[in-house]
Amino acid sequence: MTAQLFAGAAEPATDRTVVGENLSLPLFRTLSGVLAGHPYLKVVVDRAENTWHLLDTAAHPFHVNYIATRVLGMTLAELDADLDAFNASVYMDPQRRFLLGVLSLHTDDDAEGRDRTFLVLETTEADTMKGELLAFFYEFVRARVDGRLPVLLKPANHGQEEELAAISERRVPRILSHELFGSRVRTPLNPGEAIGRLRVFRTGQEYAAAEAGLGWADIVAMPRLPDDVPRVAGFLNTAPITPLSHTNVLASGWGIPNAIVRDLDQLVEADALDGAWVRYRVCEDEISLERLAGEPDLRAPAWHQQRIRLEPPLLEDAPVLSLHRLRGADRDRYGTKAANLGELHHVLDSRTADLTAFYGRPRPPRDDLYGHLATRLGLTAPAPAELRARAADFVASTVGAPEGVALPFALQQHFLASSPAIQQGIGKLKMALELDATDVLDSLCLQLQQLIRHTPVPESVTRQISQAFPAGPASHGRLVVRSSSNAEDLPGFSAAGVYDSVTTVHGTGELLDAVRQVWASLVSPRSVRLRHQVGISLDDTYMGVIIQEYVPASLGGVLVTCDPTRRADFRNVYLNCSPGSPEQVVEGSVLPQQYLYNVVEGGGRTVALGSWGDGLPAATRARLADLSLTGRLLQSHFSGSDLGGADVDKPLDIEWLMTERGDFRLVQIRPYAL
């Protein structure tokens, strides 16, 4: 549930809203709508009149519109003129007259395996009700609901969870968000619609046997899709994954539907769907598979004609540079990833960038969200310059950028040109791509990768790399070597998980091996096929390399500055994490903990605990709230016009870690494909 975004439109003539009546299941079904697959009903408790209002969801999309116009006699124009103050009076005032909530209907199995129907009461995520007010709200509603229907209170944010901890569960029975939705049968991950042939694989072996025959018209279903899945029409997962998994980042970048459907086996068996042509829809409220009567007349998808043009790479000699000496414009010499990290250093060191632009966008009926940002930063009615300065200071005090060096494209070019065998292999690969000889493409790529990994590095190249470490690479302990291509993090082509990184490097020998492995990943069969599909020429593609000192992490993960499952929601930042290295989250080797943080009104909530039974301590969750706000502020710069972007509403994908000392480092920052 979310606080009001817009003033309501004209309401339908038929309005079945009732006041003061007790709630039975038939009445609930009469008034309810459907959200995320569950029937739900809006309720307003009026403490002054000692009554409640059960809103017809079709007639009243927003609580506050109803209260203002139907109870207080205001016009919508009067409400819009002071909407934020009105919201504060109903969501944050400890002495508030009105208590706003939602009742949703759920079914699960009881101890004997029988279906149990129950209601869940919750407030908006921005509501700041204290414990006694939450208890009053629950008891008021409980007393007016059919006694045969269990009612549970779901705290809407971490603050409410902590308030309820001091109140007996006998007095206020409750259910946490991750308990309610952790076992959800169907979960949308990426919205979309596709017509295709459903291919169901129950094991990795089944998938591997059929992988070569998969094409653009297939919809692939299996417990967990592999990160190197080819570009197809849609994804279906039968086991839990996170919206920030590599495969869902790919689904988002490719614009294809993706969802978790745990009961797929039953659906497939009931309608004989395996191998059938289906219409597959994923949206916020519904996930459906509709069998088609026969094979449809399909046209090749739009991406078959998609052509992405790269800026010409600059291959003249360029030095190995420390990351803090790079800027965003250096992407044509060092790659996007290195340039973004250099730009991050600049933002943190100079504190001159305007990080408030996202909050300056109109959010009708509001002219801007500057007041909300000021509250988040502890300011009262600041001047614009003061707000910008506080935002820059907040970001610089919350996160750090990794130390390291970047190898330019020119070094890779010198290496490739030093070997006639490599040049011959590149020529063969180019010819195969020109002739669309897909039957030999993989073998040519693998042969070329083998050559690159085992060809000696010229002394001149080795010397430049070694000079970046005056005392030698071994003196720095463990190193991390990451890719930084000019063919990644692009509009329409994210390349998430496509190129290699090596995280366990010690000494000069291992460093050179790791650099060659990263260079070789530019011609892996998968990366070559994906680039070829969107028209990226092998001639235009180069690989820079980032070398960083390894930083031990107590916590790590990924955040995106949006809610991937609700694209219109500008309030929330979605964060995944797990103890230790962020690679566990990125690679999908564990199910991470998942959190949503509201960076407008404030507050956070736990979505899932993943592979761990306990959530993070309150103090750590508060730090993650700061990290989430930092991500949103950085979005103003990295998605704005300063770096050639056009829209500060475009979200970022940020890989981060918390060091053993408790401070944050941002390891990677890039656009998040929508």
Side-chain angles (χ1 to χ4, degrees):
M1 179 183 167
T2 304
Q4 180 189 5
L5 172 56
F6 300 107
E11 295 164 354
T14 301
D15 183 355
R16 297 163 293 183
T17 294
V18 299
V19 180
E21 291 188 22
N22 286 349
L23 181 64
S24 63
L25 190 54
L27 179 58
F28 178 94
R29 294 191 185 281
T30 298
L31 300 175
S32 65
V34 176
L35 182 65
H38 296 281
Y40 79 104
L41 170 66
K42 292 182 175 69
V43 301
V44 173
V45 170
D46 186 342
R47 299 168 73 194
E49 298 293 335
N50 194 36
T51 190
W52 72 337
H53 302 246
L54 306 177
L55 308 190
D56 180 352
T57 55
H60 302 291
F62 300 113
H63 290 84
V64 294
N65 282 14
Y66 175 84
I67 295 169
T69 60
R70 296 301 182 89
V71 181
L72 301 178
M74 299 169 60
T75 66
L76 288 178
E78 289 172 331
L79 172 63
D80 290 350
D82 204 12
L83 180 60
D84 287 330
F86 192 94
N87 276 341
S89 74
V90 295
Y91 293 124
M92 300 168 190
D93 184 350
Q95 306 303 320
R96 69 192 77 170
R97 171 181 171 180
F98 300 104
L99 307 179
L100 284 57
V102 163
L103 279 167
S104 55
L105 189 66
H106 300 262
T107 302
D108 67 4
D109 295 335
D110 63 15
E112 283 76 39
R114 297 170 298 193
D115 282 349
R116 177 185 70 138
T117 299
F118 61 99
L119 291 172
V120 171
L121 175 68
E122 64 177 307
T123 70
T124 177
E125 64 196 25
D127 199 298
T128 59
M129 281 192 203
K130 299 298 185 182
E132 282 303 317
L133 194 54
L134 282 167
F136 172 85
F137 187 34
Y138 172 81
E139 290 165 347
F140 189 100
V141 172
R142 170 68 277 181
R144 289 159 178 78
V145 172
D146 187 332
R148 293 169 294 182
L149 277 173
V151 180
L152 304 176
L153 180 68
K154 180 169 80 68
N157 51 53
H158 292 142
Q160 289 187 4
E161 287 181 25
E162 292 159 16
E163 288 289 328
L164 283 173
I167 296 175
S168 164
E169 290 202 39
R170 178 170 295 182
R171 179 184 176 191
V172 181
R174 70 206 62 166
I175 188 168
L176 301 181
S177 179
H178 66 269
E179 295 171 334
L180 183 62
F181 298 118
S183 58
R184 181 185 289 176
V185 174
R186 299 178 190 175
T187 304
L189 295 173
N190 194 63
E193 179 176 330
I195 292 176
R197 183 179 53 171
L198 184 64
R199 306 290 301 277
V200 181
F201 305 108
R202 290 169 178 81
T203 66
Q205 290 81 0
E206 288 182 13
Y207 169 83
E211 179 182 8
L214 294 176
W216 59 264
D218 290 317
I219 297 169
V220 179
M222 59 189 300
R224 180 183 177 275
L225 281 84
D227 288 347
D228 61 354
V229 63
R231 192 163 187 171
V232 292
F235 295 159
L236 274 159
N237 304 267
T238 59
I241 65 167
T242 165
L244 302 189
S245 66
H246 266 321
T247 50
N248 198 52
V249 172
L250 290 175
S252 179
W254 291 341
I256 63 174
N258 188 21
I260 300 169
V261 182
R262 291 187 175 186
D263 61 343
L264 183 66
D265 284 345
Q266 295 95 299
L267 298 178
V268 167
E269 184 176 348
D271 294 328
L273 295 179
D274 192 4
W277 291 93
V278 300
R279 185 186 307 275
Y280 173 37
R281 291 191 182 97
V282 176
C283 58
E284 184 180 328
D285 297 335
E286 182 185 11
I287 299 166
S288 63
L289 281 168
E290 173 193 354
R291 182 177 178 126
L292 303 179
E295 181 174 347
D297 182 17
L298 293 180
R299 296 181 179 180
W303 58 263
H304 261 237
Q305 287 76 45
Q306 181 184 16
R307 290 298 177 262
I308 293 175
R309 295 288 178 253
L310 302 183
E311 297 177 6
L314 299 182
L315 301 177
E316 71 271 12
D317 286 339
V320 176
L321 287 182
S322 297
L323 289 174
H324 73 268
R325 295 181 61 188
L326 298 182
R327 294 294 302 274
D330 290 316
R331 62 175 61 88
D332 54 5
R333 292 188 298 166
Y334 295 87
T336 308
K337 197 178 299 182
N340 283 350
L341 288 177
E343 187 71 24
L344 176 63
H345 272 281
H346 169 73
V347 168
L348 299 181
D349 293 342
S350 71
R351 306 193 187 188
T352 57
D354 179 6
L355 304 181
T356 68
F358 176 89
Y359 290 86
R361 291 287 292 269
R363 312 288 173 179
R366 305 167 180 86
D367 292 334
D368 58 63
L369 297 175
Y370 285 139
H372 288 282
L373 177 59
T375 300
R376 301 278 69 76
L377 297 176
L379 297 174
T380 303
E386 182 185 3
L387 184 63
R388 289 196 295 269
R390 177 63 67 89
D393 289 343
F394 176 84
V395 168
S397 65
T398 303
V399 301
E403 297 296 330
V405 300
L407 311 187
F409 298 155
L411 285 190
Q412 183 207 21
Q413 173 69 0
H414 287 322
F415 168 74
L416 297 177
S418 72
S419 169
I422 290 178
Q423 291 300 304
Q424 185 179 31
I426 293 173
K428 290 180 179 178
L429 180 56
K430 289 179 181 177
M431 181 65 70
L433 290 170
E434 290 174 6
L435 298 176
D436 204 21
T438 56
D439 54 330
V440 299
L441 198 61
D442 286 7
S443 62
L444 289 175
C445 288
L446 293 172
Q447 291 169 17
L448 185 53
Q449 282 192 286
Q450 183 79 356
L451 274 173
I452 292 172
R453 290 193 186 108
H454 293 91
T455 295
V457 179
E459 176 60 31
S460 60
V461 175
T462 301
R463 183 169 59 253
Q464 290 187 65
I465 296 174
S466 298
Q467 287 174 349
F469 302 92
S475 66
H476 290 261
R478 179 175 169 181
L479 298 173
V480 176
V481 178
R482 300 180 184 275
S483 63
S484 182
S485 172
N486 65 333
E488 60 183 324
D489 302 341
L490 304 171
F493 191 77
S494 73
V498 171
Y499 304 121
D500 284 357
S501 293
V502 187
T503 61
T504 55
V505 177
H506 298 84
T508 303
E510 290 187 11
L511 176 58
L512 293 178
D513 288 343
V515 170
R516 283 180 296 193
Q517 180 176 333
V518 172
W519 283 338
S521 68
L522 194 67
V523 291
S524 70
R526 183 172 183 238
S527 69
V528 169
R529 286 180 182 276
L530 289 176
R531 291 195 305 268
H532 184 59
Q533 287 172 350
V534 297
I536 297 177
S537 169
L538 188 62
D539 283 330
D540 296 333
T541 310
Y542 283 86
M543 179 67 76
V545 178
I546 301 169
I547 304 173
Q548 302 166 245
E549 292 185 40
Y550 172 77
V551 178
S554 60
L555 193 68
V558 178
L559 70 83
V560 294
T561 56
C562 67
D563 180 347
T565 63
R566 298 180 62 197
R567 301 301 173 83
D569 174 13
F570 63 78
R571 288 174 160 81
N572 284 296
V573 166
Y574 199 95
L575 184 146
N576 283 3
C577 62
S578 67
S581 166
E583 276 78 17
Q584 294 183 89
V585 174
V586 174
E587 296 168 358
S589 57
V590 297
L591 279 176
Q593 296 190 16
Q594 302 173 45
Y595 298 92
L596 273 172
Y597 286 97
N598 184 327
V599 292
V600 176
E601 290 89 2
R605 55 193 171 97
T606 304
V607 177
L609 293 181
S611 301
W612 289 268
D614 297 321
L616 296 169
T620 304
R621 294 200 306 258
R623 296 290 316 287
L624 294 181
D626 289 344
L627 177 64
S628 299
L629 178 56
T630 292
R632 175 68 85 211
L633 293 170
L634 288 172
Q635 180 178 328
S636 293
H637 182 71
F638 282 88
S639 297
S641 58
D642 287 348
L643 290 179
D647 187 355
V648 294
D649 277 347
K650 290 184 177 179
L652 297 179
D653 174 339
I654 298 174
E655 186 177 330
W656 58 272
L657 59 83
M658 177 186 281
T659 71
E660 294 177 340
R661 294 183 300 178
D663 54 347
F664 290 114
R665 302 281 180 87
L666 304 189
V667 179
Q668 180 172 315
I669 185 166
R670 61 186 177 186
Y672 179 70
L674 286 178

